[in-house]
Structures are given as structure tokens and as C-alpha cells.
Amino acid sequence: MLRLCSYLQHTPTQLQEECNRLSEGFGRSPWWSKTRVFKMQEERNIRIIEWEDMDKKKFYSVGLLMALTIRLGVYPIVLIRTRLQVQKGRSHYKGTSDAFSKILKSEGIRGLYRGFLANAFTLISGQAYVTTYELVRMYVSRCSDDNAVKSIIAGGSASIVAQSFVVPCDVISQHLMMAGQKGYRGRLEMSQITGATRQNFGQAKEVIVNIFKIDGPRGFYRGYLAALLMYIPHSAVWWPSYHFFAEQISKWTPSDWPHLIIQGIAGPMAAITASTVTNPMDVIKTRVQVGDKSISDTLRQLLREEGAWGFTKGLSARILSTAPIALALVVGYETLKKISLKDELVATRHW
């Protein structure tokens, strides 16, 4: 709105010059550019900060610290979700709260962070994800102004790139996550307890060695296809849902409401929507990565042993993890984008 007002304050000559400047990057006529400027601002109550609007040095340095902080806060619930999805029926845990209390009692706080260091390497994928998302969004905008189209294509593309980094770390960390569960042996032949600080599936090095010995390099990409089949739809649902919910909420709230609050509400709503839609594939992905069966065999086994209900395994834990993660990510990411705004654009954005 502030940007629109600034345009209205221009003289006709100044407005024409601004439209000419905008048209140069799109190869369009000044008339088309002027129409596009007004159309873009009138269509959305909450303006999206695009890739070209940001200072990249600020974006990457502050973003990495934010991502690590968020990961520390939500990792325990991710570990619990993994164990719930891998177990057969309710053989070990009755639910999320039961799993939390049992892990805390038998393994202590360290048990809730089992495999964290291996998982922390996925922070690299986070940077790859947002970079791919923003760049693809920028390029798609040259062909379409439809935000849903830009979000779907950019989100799916970002998932393909990110999962190339995530899957190997996930395979290692998920074996480490399962290490403390009583009676769980899995596919890997790991050493028995030899001391107070060493448990089955002990160190990441041993997991890596055993994966390589059993499956070779391909073992680190177990479940890669399943991951793509889960994360591409997840991103394709999450981003359009997020922008849709934010825009709808903004229509029902006072105009002076901080946009960050609106976005903070829209993020978890989008996360719950996307998590519910993609949870069946998440269950299969997790089982493929820690098991020794293909996607089709895992699907048949799950249906045979637990029926359709098996596809909801870990859903509550997933929602409990993704909703706060989404809240933290959205508030953090939108704040990061505003912090990273180029100096000349700061006055044009409403927080």
C-alpha cells in the first residue's frame, strides 16, 4: 500500500520513467509495465519480498544461525515421529506423549537428540532449498504473475535440489534415532553396549561404515524416490497454501495489523494442510530408509499388517512438529527477508 501511495505521489513524467525502468527487465512496453505495477499492488494485501529485493550477504549469514536455533528446538519431536512411524502397531509406544516420557526415562535428554549432529548437516540443504525456491520463483515470474503457479513450480524444484543433500543425512540420522529403542536391531549389524556412553548403533561413523558395507554408495540414497514423492507435493501444497491463508486472513483483520502476525498464523495452517496430505508418503519414506524393502513392498506390507490406518502413523507427532516449525520458520524467514532488504526498499514494506 505504501508503495502504491508513493507511485500516486509521482508526477506523470516520474511515473513514466519508473515504468520504463521496470519494463527493461521484462522486454515489455512501458504501457504494459505501468499496468503491471498497479495490478501487482492492488491484488495483494501482503507484498511478497522477492529474491532481487534482498541483500544476499545478510540473507545467508543470519539465515544459517536462525535455522540452527530452530532445529535445536524441534529435533526431539522429529525423533519421536520417526520412532512412531517405524514401529509395528503400538509395540513400543502408545503415542507421542508416551514416547516422549519413555525415551526421557530410559535414555535421558541425550536420547532425544540422538543423531542430531548427522541431521545438522541438512542445514546445507536448507540454504539450497530457499535459494532454489527464490531463484525459480524469480524466473517463473517472467512468464506468469500467478502466485500459485510460481509457488508450486518453485517449491517442487527446491525440493528436488534439497533432497539430494537431505536423504543421506536422513538415512544416517534415522538409524541413530532408532538406536536407543529397546529390542530394535534393524538392518545394520552394530556393536553391543560396551560402556555407559556407547549403545547399539552407537556412533555415526559405525552407521556409515555398515551402510556402505551392505549397500554401497546407493545405500545413502535409500528412499530418495520416496522422499521426492513426499516432499515435492508437500512444497507444492505448502507454499500456495501459505500465501493463500495469509492473504485471506489479511482481509479479515484490521489494516494496521503487523503482517508478521498474519504470516505467523498462516504458516502453521499451511503446514497442517500439507502434512495431512503427504503423511502416507512420509510413513513409507521413513520405513524404506531404515528397512530393506522397496516402496511397493513397503506399501503392501503396511496395508497387510495395519491397513489404511497405518498411513496415519506419526501424524499427530508430525503436526506437533511441523506446526511450531512452520511458525518459527515463517516468522524467522519473513523477518530474515525484511532484515535482508536492500536499504532503498526498507521504507516500502509494512511489518
Side-chain angles (χ1 to χ4, degrees):
M1 188 64 185
L2 291 173
R3 184 72 172 194
L4 177 58
C5 290
S6 69
Y7 280 122
L8 293 176
Q9 291 171 359
H10 284 348
T11 65
T13 301
Q14 289 174 326
L15 182 57
Q16 182 67 35
E17 290 174 352
E18 180 67 13
C19 291
N20 286 335
R21 184 184 66 80
L22 288 170
S23 69
E24 290 174 1
F26 294 88
R28 307 298 181 96
S29 67
W31 174 86
W32 183 91
S33 297
K34 181 171 65 176
T35 304
R36 183 176 184 273
V37 168
F38 285 101
K39 181 180 178 183
M40 286 176 65
Q41 305 315 320
E42 290 172 350
E43 281 181 347
R44 304 198 65 82
N45 293 330
I46 299 180
R47 292 188 61 190
I48 299 171
I49 298 174
E50 302 290 2
W51 183 249
E52 59 269 27
D53 299 333
M54 294 184 286
D55 181 327
K56 308 307 183 294
K57 289 182 179 178
K58 290 181 182 178
F59 181 78
Y60 285 117
S61 58
V62 179
L64 192 61
L65 180 60
M66 282 185 172
L68 180 60
T69 303
I70 293 169
R71 186 68 57 89
L72 279 167
V74 302
Y75 188 80
I77 199 68
V78 174
L79 180 142
I80 290 171
R81 184 197 74 197
T82 298
R83 293 197 180 184
L84 288 173
Q85 289 180 338
V86 172
Q87 72 172 356
K88 293 183 178 180
R90 296 191 172 189
S91 55
H92 295 284
Y93 311 115
K94 296 178 181 178
T96 303
S97 59
D98 182 56
F100 178 80
S101 60
K102 285 181 177 178
I103 293 171
L104 194 61
K105 183 178 179 180
S106 62
E107 303 173 52
I109 294 292
R110 290 183 63 183
L112 293 171
Y113 283 90
R114 186 179 293 277
F116 177 78
L117 290 179
N119 186 265
F121 282 101
T122 60
L123 290 175
I124 298 172
S125 74
Q127 299 301 309
Y129 181 93
V130 295
T131 301
T132 304
Y133 176 80
E134 296 291 351
L135 283 173
V136 172
R137 221 186 126 80
M138 180 180 69
Y139 287 120
V140 174
S141 68
R142 298 178 180 179
C143 302
S144 173
D145 284 331
D146 190 314
N147 186 62
V149 171
K150 290 189 286 186
S151 298
I152 290 171
I153 296 175
S157 302
S159 292
I160 294 173
V161 173
Q163 288 310 303
S164 299
F165 296 94
V166 169
V167 170
C169 296
D170 266 356
V171 170
I172 296 167
S173 65
Q174 284 170 353
H175 279 293
L176 292 171
M177 287 178 187
M178 297 302 299
Q181 181 173 300
K182 186 177 180 181
Y184 181 81
R185 293 295 299 169
R187 321 169 41 240
L188 307 186
E189 297 176 2
M190 308 299 294
S191 61
Q192 298 295 320
I193 297 174
T194 58
T197 60
R198 184 173 181 82
Q199 300 179 7
N200 290 344
F201 294 81
Q203 304 298 316
K205 179 181 177 181
E206 191 173 3
V207 172
I208 293 170
V209 169
N210 276 272
I211 290 173
F212 190 82
K213 182 172 67 176
I214 295 172
D215 295 324
R218 292 180 60 186
F220 296 100
Y221 279 89
R222 287 189 67 84
Y224 180 68
L225 177 59
L228 292 181
L229 291 175
M230 196 275 287
Y231 283 110
I232 291 176
H234 187 276
S235 288
V237 171
W238 195 93
W239 285 105
S241 298
Y242 166 59
H243 292 306
F244 171 78
F245 287 133
E247 194 65 16
Q248 295 306 309
I249 293 170
S250 70
K251 294 177 181 178
W252 293 91
T253 53
S255 59
D256 59 349
W257 260 43
H259 287 175
L260 203 58
I261 292 178
I262 296 173
Q263 291 163 331
I265 297 171
M269 292 175 67
I272 292 171
T273 302
S275 295
T276 302
V277 170
T278 60
N279 195 72
M281 205 61 225
D282 190 36
V283 174
I284 293 172
K285 174 190 75 73
T286 303
R287 290 196 173 199
V288 167
Q289 288 179 334
V290 301
D292 57 359
K293 291 181 171 62
S294 65
I295 295 175
S296 58
D297 289 341
T298 301
L299 174 61
R300 283 193 291 269
Q301 182 184 33
L302 184 64
L303 285 172
R304 184 174 63 251
E305 294 179 352
E306 303 182 51
W309 184 254
F311 292 115
T312 66
K313 291 175 73 69
L315 178 59
S316 61
R318 193 171 183 219
I319 289 174
L320 285 174
S321 66
T322 56
I325 287 174
L327 174 60
L329 283 176
V330 164
V331 172
Y333 189 58
E334 295 294 348
T335 300
L336 171 63
K337 290 173 77 173
K338 290 180 175 73
I339 291 173
S340 304
L341 262 177
K342 293 177 181 177
D343 293 339
E344 64 269 22
L345 297 176
V346 172
T348 68
R349 298 302 193 272
H350 171 54
W351 284 57

